[in-house]
Amino acid sequence: MDHIKQKIIEIGRPKSETVKRLIKEYGDQPIQEVNLGQVLTGMKGVVSLLTCTSKLDPEEGIRFRGYTIPQLQELLPKMQVDGEPLPEGLFYLMLTGELPTKDDVNFISNQWAQRAMNIPPHVFDVINALPKDAHPMIQFNTAILAMSTESQFRKAYLAGMDKKDYWDPTYEGVMDLIARLPVIASYIYRRVFHNEKYIELDPALDWAGNLAHMMGYEEVEVKRLMRLYMMIHADHEGGNVSAHATHLVGSALSNPYYSFSAGMNGLAGPLHGMANQNVMHWIHKMLREIGEENPSEDQIREYAKETLSKGQVIPGYGHAVLRKTDPRFTVQLEFAKKYLPDAPLIQLVEKIYNVVPEILLATGKVKNPWPNVDAISGSLLSSYGITEYPIYTVLFGVSRALGVLTQLIWDRLYGLPIERPKSQNLAWYMNKVNYQE
Ligand code: HAX
């Protein structure tokens, strides 16, 4: 058994005992009052999930195992001193709660490179059976499901396995799945946008660097950006749609492939991960309609107001939890200012940032008028030549695997049961609050 699995057992077993005791001895204690508004607006703020990988503060933004993004940029191992942290290190941190050594990160990099080599051929046949113009998220998710033929969890479950060991084949499946996603994502990218001219994995490269390489981008800065992108999109607590969907489906002991696929179906929604490409769609439509490459703030203001007047959302703005500018937006803006100070798209993103919040505030209903991670990520990728924006949600999905699948391993370590909240009909709620016609 490798040292990471050994560590997981050491820290996971006592935690599972704690969860059992909490349920048995403290299970009847109330922890929070829930009001009707919370239930009818998407369970906002209802504490009902157990997640250790990251925590989202409305004002401050995300912390991964207690560390902010700038702290992790300092503390996690990197390829170059002035580079971005390797996402392998973030995975280790989320999994174990401890900062990794360079050796830990190298170990994971090597594991993922090896596990990425032997994707069964039927997975590519399945992708190839889809029309090329099928959205990349359809191709990505189909491939994820096709890979579930490899699930160790199902085999081990059927062979008869002690519940307390469920985490082990889950871990193996998670490691295989994460390892293979960059190959799948870049295969889809090259299939759809680069005439099926595929590029082989380079086992000497790190996980995110390999993704850039297999997509066809060898520049040091693109690899650096990909490492940053893979880190900041990895996790956002347990209640966001992709994390919660992965957890919910996983609670039925569905294997990691089924569970992650559920999460990816959620990520493909325009209010969640698909927002990153919708931002680009919105920007390009604006430039076409205004007829200028460099519109003024007044022109952007008018276009944003028009979007709202048609009953549409402004993508890249707002958040279900955050109440300030998303630090994932800020860190990308800083990256852009450092490496791409003159990029027109980044300048445009800044102009949009100058005008959109006040317009959203003026509606009187938007709870968070500030930009989220998606407001800039596409402009950054586009500025490096990755302009084919339908692939952006797939890239988000590759990164999101790190967090939601670590959460799945922890669900198994904690021994969490099947999830089954209670639902009621409208009359029940009306009755409960003495609703008067
Ligand atoms: N543009 C226009 N209207 C917006 C808005 C925006 N960017 N953000 C919120 N609103 C509206 C809501 O649609 C809602 O309107 P109604 O009352 O008429 O239904 C009202 O303001 C209150 O919504 P809220 O409480 O502020 O926001 P929610 O928690 O319901 O929704 C969303 C959060 C992120 C879905 C929302 O802000 C939104 O639609 N933003 C645009 C899409 C987007 O960028 N999504 C990505 C979010 C980050 C993420 O998950 N990335 O993957």
Side-chain angles (χ1 to χ4, degrees):
M1 182 174 289
D2 69 53
H3 77 286
I4 295 184
K5 286 174 82 165
Q6 200 61 52
K7 195 176 255 310
I8 295 173
I9 296 186
E10 278 162 27
I11 53 179
R13 287 268 155 83
K15 292 270 179 346
S16 125
E17 289 309 313
T18 307
V19 170
K20 277 202 197 98
R21 267 199 69 202
L22 280 169
I23 297 169
K24 196 165 170 217
E25 298 173 33
Y26 302 82
D28 56 357
Q29 291 199 18
I31 50 164
Q32 187 193 29
E33 270 192 18
V34 174
N35 63 44
L36 180 59
Q38 288 178 287
V39 174
L40 297 185
T41 59
M43 296 192 282
K44 302 282 163 53
V46 177
V47 179
S48 53
L49 292 162
L50 173 62
T51 309
C52 62
T53 49
S54 66
K55 194 161 157 51
L56 182 58
D57 180 86
E59 306 292 319
E60 185 196 49
I62 193 69
R63 275 181 186 258
F64 300 94
R65 289 280 194 172
Y67 296 99
T68 62
I69 292 171
Q71 285 169 341
L72 291 181
Q73 286 178 303
E74 289 294 318
L75 294 169
L76 288 178
K78 302 168 185 166
M79 293 283 273
Q80 298 95 3
V81 187
D82 66 339
E84 294 297 331
L86 292 164
E88 286 89 333
L90 177 64
F91 175 74
Y92 182 95
L93 173 68
M94 288 192 291
L95 191 57
T96 66
E98 293 173 14
L99 288 168
T101 62
K102 187 91 178 79
D103 283 348
D104 293 324
V105 165
N106 287 341
F107 176 82
I108 296 173
S109 262
N110 291 336
Q111 280 267 319
W112 287 351
Q114 279 166 30
R115 289 172 188 252
M117 302 276 202
N118 42 6
I119 301 177
H122 75 260
V123 175
F124 300 101
D125 294 343
V126 164
I127 299 174
N128 292 338
L130 287 165
K132 270 196 188 170
D133 62 358
H135 191 280
M137 277 305 275
I138 300 174
Q139 303 191 40
F140 186 57
N141 222 347
T142 305
I144 291 164
L145 279 179
M147 284 193 286
S148 72
T149 52
E150 302 295 286
S151 170
Q152 290 94 330
F153 184 83
R154 181 176 152 72
K155 286 178 201 124
Y157 189 85
L158 288 179
M161 174 181 36
D162 191 318
K163 277 177 172 196
K164 68 177 185 332
D165 297 327
Y166 285 168
W167 70 271
D168 191 332
T170 302
Y171 172 85
E172 293 299 332
V174 164
M175 291 291 278
D176 282 350
L177 184 44
I178 293 177
R180 293 167 178 187
L181 290 174
V183 180
I184 299 298
S186 51
Y187 184 90
I188 294 165
Y189 178 69
R190 302 290 300 180
R191 172 175 191 247
V192 176
F193 302 111
H194 291 272
N195 295 322
E196 302 176 27
K197 295 206 168 75
Y198 303 113
I199 299 169
E200 291 283 308
L201 176 122
D202 177 354
L205 274 173
D206 59 294
W207 183 73
N210 237 322
L211 173 59
H213 158 72
M214 288 184 286
M215 286 176 70
Y217 299 87
E218 296 302 349
E219 301 88 330
V220 172
E221 264 178 44
V222 179
K223 294 203 174 99
R224 194 172 279 169
L225 171 65
M226 209 52 94
R227 290 177 195 122
L228 177 72
Y229 187 102
M230 290 296 131
M231 180 177 79
I232 61 175
H233 289 83
D235 206 39
H236 225 217
E237 230 182 53
N240 67 80
V241 172
S242 49
H244 191 186
T246 305
H247 163 77
L248 170 66
V249 171
S251 84
L253 293 185
S254 302
N255 70 44
Y257 301 84
Y258 288 133
S259 307
F260 182 58
S261 169
M264 289 303 95
N265 284 325
L267 195 77
L271 298 187
H272 191 16
M274 193 69 86
N276 63 8
Q277 53 183 274
N278 289 352
V279 168
M280 298 316 290
H281 183 75
W282 188 82
I283 287 179
H284 286 303
K285 193 156 173 272
M286 171 174 75
L287 296 180
R288 271 198 313 276
E289 284 183 18
I290 295 175
E292 294 237 14
E293 278 301 302
N294 187 13
S296 68
E297 289 192 2
D298 279 343
Q299 286 173 311
I300 296 171
R301 195 173 283 113
E302 281 319 300
Y303 181 74
K305 284 184 179 166
E306 198 187 312
T307 302
L308 294 184
S309 72
K310 289 179 182 159
Q312 297 161 12
V313 296
I314 300 180
Y317 281 77
H319 201 272
V321 178
L322 283 167
R323 292 300 174 252
K324 289 272 168 65
T325 294
D326 190 335
R328 301 172 302 172
F329 172 87
T330 310
V331 75
Q332 292 181 89
L333 188 57
E334 281 164 5
F335 185 99
K337 283 183 165 166
K338 185 167 170 191
Y339 296 110
L340 295 164
D342 302 321
L345 263 175
I346 301 297
Q347 287 166 4
L348 187 54
V349 164
E350 288 193 87
K351 276 190 193 171
I352 296 170
Y353 187 19
N354 287 341
V355 303
V356 163
E358 73 194 41
I359 295 168
L360 290 178
L361 268 181
T363 65
K365 65 174 185 179
V366 177
K367 296 196 189 67
N368 173 34
W370 303 108
N372 59 53
V373 66
D374 303 312
I376 183 168
S377 59
S379 296
L380 202 41
L381 290 166
S382 281
S383 300
Y384 279 108
I386 308 173
T387 53
E388 304 89 350
Y389 58 77
I391 201 67
Y392 293 170
T393 313
V394 170
L395 298 181
F396 191 156
V398 174
S399 165
R400 189 45 64 100
L402 300 175
V404 301
L405 290 172
T406 305
Q407 291 186 27
L408 190 70
I409 296 171
W410 271 98
D411 290 348
R412 303 282 196 256
L413 284 165
Y414 288 138
L416 296 181
I418 192 160
E419 190 172 300
R420 181 52 167 98
K422 177 77 189 147
S423 62
Q424 294 289 0
N425 63 20
L426 192 56
W428 186 92
Y429 288 111
M430 290 163 77
N431 195 27
K432 196 77 187 163
V433 295
N434 292 320
Y435 180 84
Q436 308 287 326
E437 286 296 344

